[in-house]
Amino acid sequence: MITIRPAGRSAVPDVLALLDGATEWLVAQGRTDQWGTEPHSTNPRRIAQITGFADDGGLWVAEDDGRVVGALAVGDAMPYVPPAEEPELYVRLLVTDRASAGLGIGTTLLDHARKLARDAGVGMLRVDCFAGGDGALVRYYEKQGFTRMVEFAVPVNDSEWPGQVLFQRL
């Protein structure tokens, strides 16, 4: 049974391991344009980001028999996306264990984000994701009830990382 609990700094290595596993899976699929090929667990910027999510109190983990199988971070919108025009809760991170695919962990974590937003009296949940490749990640969020809002691009080295902001009314 999947349980969700708030996560502090002690969970940061587990979350980074989930990100590393997801990146390995993407690389094996030949999909290196989303997160590159390097591990997140050795990237100082990524370590600081996940630690910041924990310090902000917005980091949650999903566990199955005591093993971390997913992570969710919620809070303010990421600085690279257009600001919302109304109060919102922003999904800053959603990652699940590829070995546990098909168990509905992502849905469970998004349901938790929806509950957090409702409990805070907020009527909108937003998320952004990679919009390149075959668009599978955008379609995943649409299947979760989100609607496309705005596209954006983040400069990365000599190119741009294509992103999509999606929203859901609660």
Side-chain angles (χ1 to χ4, degrees), residues 1 9 25 27 42 46 57 84-85 87 96 113 122 133 150 152 154 166:
M1 179 172 157
R9 281 186 173 217
W25 179 81
V27 169
T42 59
R46 193 61 143 167
E85 296 179 5
T96 61
V122 173
V150 63
F152 65 95
V154 177
L166 300 101

Side-chain angles (χ1 to χ4, degrees), residues 1-4 18 62-70 94-111 140 144:
M1 179 172 157
I2 305 298
T3 57
I4 298 176
L18 288 172
E63 294 180 330
D64 186 14
D65 265 346
R67 187 173 68 89
V68 174
V69 294
L94 179 69
V95 62
T96 61
D97 177 27
R98 294 307 311 162
S100 302
L103 298 180
I105 298 164
T107 299
T108 300
L109 287 165
L110 287 171
D111 285 345
Y140 169 80
Q144 292 290 331

Side-chain angles (χ1 to χ4, degrees), residues 18-42:
L18 288 172
L19 289 164
D20 286 352
T23 299
E24 289 171 12
W25 179 81
L26 288 166
V27 169
Q29 305 273 319
R31 297 163 58 186
T32 60
D33 46 350
Q34 181 173 338
W35 281 344
T37 59
E38 299 302 312
H40 298 264
S41 58
T42 59

Side-chain angles (χ1 to χ4, degrees), residues 78-152:
M78 300 304 283
Y80 52 78
V81 300
E85 296 179 5
E86 65 185 86
E88 70 171 345
L89 185 65
Y90 201 90
V91 174
R92 305 180 92 195
L93 172 74
L94 179 69
V95 62
T96 61
D97 177 27
R98 294 307 311 162
S100 302
L103 298 180
I105 298 164
T107 299
T108 300
L109 287 165
L110 287 171
D111 285 345
H112 186 71
R114 291 177 189 103
K115 180 184 182 319
L116 291 171
R118 285 186 191 103
D119 289 351
V122 173
M124 185 169 67
L125 188 63
R126 282 199 312 162
V127 64
D128 72 81
C129 69
F130 178 67
D134 62 3
L137 197 49
V138 173
R139 286 192 307 279
Y140 169 80
Y141 284 109
E142 288 175 328
K143 288 177 186 169
Q144 292 290 331
F146 287 83
T147 301
R148 294 177 197 214
M149 186 173 221
V150 63
E151 293 180 2
F152 65 95

Side-chain angles (χ1 to χ4, degrees), residues 146-168:
F146 287 83
T147 301
R148 294 177 197 214
M149 186 173 221
V150 63
E151 293 180 2
F152 65 95
V154 177
V156 178
N157 300 325
D158 297 339
S159 63
E160 290 187 331
W161 185 90
Q164 176 72 57
V165 177
L166 300 101
F167 76 100
Q168 184 174 67

